[in-house]
Amino acid sequence: MQNVIIQACSEQDKEWLSHVHSGTRIDIQLLDQYDSRFQSELIGYRFGRYLIIRFDEFVIPQSMNCIGLIAVCRFLIEDSLGECFAFKSEIVSTLRRPDKLLFMAFPAEIHRRPLRATKRQSLKIPAAISLRSAQGTSPSFNGVLVDVSGKGCRFQFDASHTGRKVNLLPILIRIDWPERGIQKEVSGMVRNSKMQDGFLTIGVQFDEEQPDLDISL
């Protein structure tokens, strides 16, 4: 799948920012001697000037001066297709009180790559999810599938059940789709998670392809 490069500072290319919400998880890789890499959270931005990213204290020790370092930033945007965005940026300032924040130069260009070859249809299908382990499955949480293909889906539910993220773990999804006469259980693996509009959404890759769930057929 081919990368697309967007000139981020052009007014006509603000479109990519409409997909990036406060709380978006960003993977940051510092181009330092240790090649440090950690997860962070987008707090906000000023278009054309800077991005504001929150980090945890333990990933950047107080003794470390990271101003002037270049960082590679990557994040996922899940929509009907699903894309990975990446860019390089310079750390221009840091703040440790009242929160740990990085101020990064607004990227001059964004690299944009589709995550999957099959397009998913946006919809709402009642479903429930539970974790799988050697001891069996955990209690289930009700929610909805907000898109689905034969290879995977996105599952959305109330974040109050689990907090703000879900670990990359094996799960079992119970799907009730009366319009297509489908009532089944599908095993899969959580690949990503994010908060949006008060709900937690997780991306799931099925262990085996499910042709009856591929509505593009």
Side-chain angles (χ1 to χ4, degrees), residues 22-90:
S22 178
T24 295
R25 300 297 296 176
I26 296 181
D27 178 90
I28 293 183
Q29 180 180 358
L30 299 179
L31 302 184
D32 60 3
Q33 58 180 324
Y34 305 108
D35 206 27
S36 307
R37 190 165 181 170
F38 54 90
Q39 287 288 312
S40 61
E41 180 182 9
L42 179 71
I43 299 299
Y45 61 86
R46 183 174 177 186
F47 184 76
R49 297 288 301 278
Y50 54 79
L51 304 174
I52 307 173
I53 295 173
R54 189 192 69 79
F55 65 94
D56 294 322
E57 179 67 50
F58 68 89
V59 300
I60 302 180
Q62 191 159 356
S63 59
M64 179 179 177
N65 179 16
C66 56
I67 296 176
L69 285 179
I70 302 298
V72 177
C73 303
R74 304 176 181 90
F75 57 94
L76 301 178
I77 299 298
E78 289 282 357
D79 54 17
S80 60
L81 181 60
E83 291 178 302
C84 176
F85 291 75
F87 61 87
K88 284 186 179 181
S89 179
E90 179 184 356

Side-chain angles (χ1 to χ4, degrees), residues 65-180:
N65 179 16
C66 56
I67 296 176
L69 285 179
I70 302 298
V72 177
C73 303
R74 304 176 181 90
F75 57 94
L76 301 178
I77 299 298
E78 289 282 357
D79 54 17
S80 60
L81 181 60
E83 291 178 302
C84 176
F85 291 75
F87 61 87
K88 284 186 179 181
S89 179
E90 179 184 356
I91 298 174
V92 297
S93 185
T94 62
L95 185 67
R96 293 183 181 269
R97 294 183 181 178
D99 211 342
K100 282 67 176 177
L101 303 177
L102 294 176
F103 290 80
M104 306 187 72
F106 199 87
E109 62 182 28
I110 303 289
H111 295 259
R112 184 171 178 170
R113 179 173 62 85
L115 293 175
R116 47 189 182 264
T118 56
K119 187 175 182 179
R120 294 181 181 171
Q121 181 74 27
S122 297
L123 31 72
K124 287 195 174 182
I125 304 169
I129 193 171
S130 55
L131 295 177
R132 291 183 289 138
S133 68
Q135 291 72 40
T137 56
S138 68
S140 60
F141 299 104
N142 293 326
V144 294
L145 302 186
V146 292
D147 66 41
V148 66
S149 74
K151 295 183 178 181
C153 67
R154 281 194 301 149
F155 181 86
Q156 186 179 78
F157 57 111
D158 189 339
S160 62
H161 296 312
T162 61
R164 294 180 62 85
K165 65 179 297 186
V166 172
N167 294 325
L168 308 187
L169 293 170
I171 52 88
L172 184 71
I173 297 180
R174 297 173 179 85
I175 302 172
D176 183 14
W177 195 355
E179 290 82 3
R180 296 195 63 170

